[in-house]
């Protein structure tokens, strides 16, 4: 079984500042890792994913994340945020090795970007 | 690619009533997932279909819940004798078959159906 812990429930930040949203996971098997974004009253949109290979993955809207196996972390970063990045962000994990399988999500981090 | 659609978007019902939600996955996606999201929490897995076969069910899916995907295309999720604790957002996601390339690991989510049980 897998579990995900998002270390911050809310992150306030000013526009154009950098931001890091932290995610730690636990699993007894290899994993695939995902970050999704959810805008109010909408479904989830994939930002980026790590399956294998380079531990630094780049996604949409200027976001990137780094997989750290030794620390079992997959933190999301953006060097300069915009007001439009205000949303809730979810880290998710699923067992690796197969393309199908349920996602296990963290509790979410609400990012609020202030002008 | 019109995306995953769900109907209705909102449902208000009284305790004890039955409700049914529909999910239409992206065309040719043979895998379909249902999740439930309560306020302030991340989505929790409910059930998974590959084509018409229901291959995995969560313990969260009590005997009041039933899901079907009769022709391997759209899916329905029914809740019988609703309880106030069933109030949540019900999300559907789909993903393509293995042979369709590198995005087979990605689940594409619909907008959800928000259920309120009074």
């Amino acid at each position: 079984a897998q579990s995900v812990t998002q270390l911050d429930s809310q992150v306030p930040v000013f526009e154009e500042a950098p931001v890091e949203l932290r995610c730690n996971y636990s699993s007894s098997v290899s994993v695939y890792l995902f970050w999704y974004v959810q805008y109010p009253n909408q479904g989830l949109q994939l930002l980026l994913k790590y399956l294998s290979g380079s531990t630094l993955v780049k996604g949409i809207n200027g976001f990137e994340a780094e997989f750290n196996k030794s620390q079992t972390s997959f933190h999301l970063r953006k060097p300069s945020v915009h007001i439009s990045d205000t949303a809730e962000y979810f880290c998710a994990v699923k067992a690796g090795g197969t393309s199908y399988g349920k996602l296990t999500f963290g509790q979410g981090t609400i990012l609020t970007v202030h002008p | 690619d019109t995306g995953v659609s769900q109907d209705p978007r909102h449902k208000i019902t009284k305790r004890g009533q039955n409700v049914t939600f529909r999910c239409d996955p992206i065309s040719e996606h043979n895998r379909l997932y249902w999740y439930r999201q309560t306020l302030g929490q991340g989505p929790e897995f409910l059930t998974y279909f590959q084509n018409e076969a229901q291959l995995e069910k969560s313990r969260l899916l009590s005997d009041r819940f039933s899901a079907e995907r009769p022709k391997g295309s759209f899916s329905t999720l029914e809740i019988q004798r609703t309880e106030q604790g069933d109030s949540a957002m019900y999300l559907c996601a789909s993903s393509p078959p293995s042979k369709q390339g590198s995005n087979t690991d990605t689940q594409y989510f619909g907008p959800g159906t928000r259920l309120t049980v009074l």
Side-chain angles (χ1 to χ4, degrees):
Chain A
Q2 293 80 44
S3 67
V4 177
T5 301
Q6 292 184 239
L7 297 165
D8 306 292
S9 59
Q10 297 191 50
V11 172
V13 64
F14 287 107
E15 194 174 19
E16 297 183 4
V19 70
E20 178 180 79
L21 306 184
R22 298 179 294 167
C23 171
N24 286 97
Y25 70 92
S26 172
S27 177
S28 57
V29 298
S30 64
V31 295
Y32 295 159
L33 293 153
F34 304 80
W35 275 99
Y36 281 86
V37 61
Q38 186 176 35
Y39 299 100
N41 299 314
Q42 295 187 27
L44 283 77
Q45 179 184 6
L46 180 69
L47 278 177
L48 48 78
K49 60 185 178 183
Y50 171 79
L51 305 181
S52 64
S54 173
T55 58
L56 182 64
V57 291
K58 295 187 182 296
I60 62 172
N61 301 339
F63 284 94
E64 63 181 32
E66 186 157 19
F67 170 57
N68 187 319
K69 187 175 182 179
S70 63
Q71 297 187 5
T72 60
S73 67
F74 190 54
H75 300 332
L76 181 71
R77 301 185 182 101
K78 186 170 182 179
S80 176
V81 294
H82 303 289
I83 297 287
S84 60
D85 293 323
T86 295
E88 190 161 17
Y89 292 79
F90 292 95
C91 180
V93 63
K94 83 175 182 67
T98 60
S99 58
Y100 58 89
K102 64 183 180 185
L103 291 169
T104 299
F105 286 87
Q107 305 92 316
T109 298
I110 297 173
L111 174 64
T112 304
V113 181
H114 298 284
Chain B
D1 180 353
T2 57
V4 178
S5 62
Q6 294 187 244
D7 184 69
R9 293 290 306 276
H10 303 274
K11 179 69 176 179
I12 300 174
T13 192
K14 293 182 179 179
R15 188 176 53 187
Q17 297 295 305
N18 299 344
V19 294
T20 300
F21 310 140
R22 176 180 170 123
C23 171
D24 286 88
I26 294 171
S27 178
E28 298 183 357
H29 281 197
N30 66 334
R31 297 171 186 160
L32 188 146
Y33 303 81
W34 284 99
Y35 292 84
R36 182 173 69 184
Q37 184 179 20
T38 53
L39 203 60
Q41 299 296 317
E44 296 174 291
F45 170 77
L46 291 178
T47 190
Y48 161 62
F49 289 86
Q50 182 167 315
N51 300 311
E52 66 276 9
Q54 189 174 21
L55 297 185
E56 188 174 355
K57 290 170 60 173
S58 163
R59 286 173 296 176
L60 291 175
L61 213 66
S62 75
D63 56 4
R64 296 185 298 106
F65 288 70
S66 62
E68 294 182 342
R69 195 183 182 198
K71 297 182 179 179
S73 56
F74 73 91
S75 176
T76 58
L77 177 68
E78 181 183 17
I79 309 175
Q80 295 183 329
R81 305 181 303 280
T82 52
E83 303 173 354
Q84 289 185 325
D86 297 331
S87 295
M89 175 80 87
Y90 290 84
L91 294 165
C92 176
S94 69
S95 60
S98 309
K99 59 185 177 181
Q100 287 195 5
S102 63
N103 282 331
T104 59
D105 308 279
T106 300
Q107 294 181 23
Y108 298 83
F109 282 81
T113 294
R114 183 170 296 282
L115 173 66
T116 302
V117 181
L118 301 176

